[in-house]
Amino acid sequence: MTGFAIPPQPQATVAVDGTNARFPVARIWCVGRNYADHAREMGHDPDAEPPFFFAKPADAVIDSGFAIPYPTATTDFHHEAELVVALGAGGSDIAEADVPGLIWGYAAGNDLTRRDLQAAAKAARRPWDMSKGFDQSAVVGPLVRAKGGAVPDGVLRAHVNGTLRQEARLSDMIWSVPALVSALSRLITLKAGDLIYTGTPAGVGPLQRGDTCVVSIDGMPPAAVTIR
């Protein structure tokens, strides 16, 4: 007779627009510095390197509309508005031309970041994990079903308390969605249920207690979070 040594944790899921169904999350992958203006604001040359990736735990996801506590161990807590890609199928060594057939849907997202911990990790040449992969650090709006895998080209925005902080077209990405997914598939075997945060444009900035940050993309429900 077999069983679990301890009760298993519940499956991480995110909302699907227009339905009560939930999308099961396998893993969360994120790409860094995928907009030239953001790369420059962080002190890097946007033309100098191929895409690089980091991860958040699956249970870091939080649906739009919730209030979350200001995270511990930071005094410089930032928003990062992003397009999120949800995979309905996986694989390895995927050609860019085949990527659209793997995409289940898209959403607006917010890659919340403890910027001071990230800066300290960079200075010490240590991993970023604790600056990115903390509790409730992956805000995601309801997923919108992809139309044949087609990549949207709307405007990505972040407003904090109604004030515009970030704005860019999705086509401003240095690495397109097919290029990102293909590159990631050469490093790991992608799975159905993987979420991929595709990078943020310039304008990242601090969030304080009482702030509400709303990330929006044309044609998608927003990803909103309030800090308490």
Side-chain angles (χ1 to χ4, degrees):
M1 183 174 182
T2 60
F4 294 105
I6 62 172
Q9 293 298 306
Q11 168 73 55
T13 64
V14 296
V16 176
D17 187 43
T19 176
N20 291 327
R22 304 285 298 181
F23 184 89
V25 179
R27 299 169 299 180
I28 302 173
W29 307 105
C30 309
V31 64
R33 300 197 287 265
N34 196 28
Y35 289 80
D37 54 1
H38 175 60
R40 294 188 187 99
E41 78 173 347
M42 301 301 288
H44 299 278
D45 179 354
D47 300 318
E49 57 189 1
F52 68 95
F53 302 91
F54 57 93
K56 291 175 181 269
D59 63 2
V61 293
I62 180 168
D63 283 331
S64 177
F66 281 88
I68 64 172
Y70 193 96
T72 60
T74 185
T75 58
D76 195 17
F77 175 47
H78 280 208
H79 60 83
E80 295 192 4
E82 311 204 6
L83 169 72
V84 180
V85 177
L87 296 184
S92 59
D93 294 315
I94 300 164
E96 289 187 29
D98 295 331
V99 168
L102 307 181
I103 295 173
W104 192 92
Y106 296 97
N110 196 340
D111 168 22
L112 297 175
T113 302
R114 297 193 279 203
R115 189 70 69 201
D116 45 359
L117 296 191
Q118 185 185 39
K122 288 179 179 179
R125 297 180 180 271
R126 293 176 178 170
W128 293 3
D129 298 55
M130 291 300 99
S131 72
K132 290 287 192 177
F134 53 97
D135 297 341
Q136 300 177 318
S137 62
V139 186
V140 59
L143 287 168
V144 174
R145 196 76 164 92
K147 298 176 180 178
V151 179
D153 184 23
V155 177
L156 169 67
R157 298 182 178 90
H159 288 83
V160 177
N161 303 328
T163 299
L164 182 65
R165 289 268 192 94
Q166 294 180 268
E167 184 175 41
R169 293 203 70 87
L170 298 176
S171 57
D172 291 340
M173 289 182 192
I174 297 170
W175 297 90
S176 68
V177 168
L180 288 175
V181 175
S182 177
L184 184 57
S185 77
R186 293 194 293 273
L187 298 171
I188 58 166
T189 300
L190 293 170
K191 298 180 180 180
D194 282 350
L195 299 182
I196 302 171
Y197 281 62
T198 58
T200 195
V204 299
L207 295 171
Q208 308 296 338
R209 289 179 176 86
D211 285 348
T212 294
C213 182
V214 179
V215 175
S216 61
I217 298 174
D218 294 341
M220 298 184 196
V225 66
T226 298
I227 311 304
R228 54 178 173 82

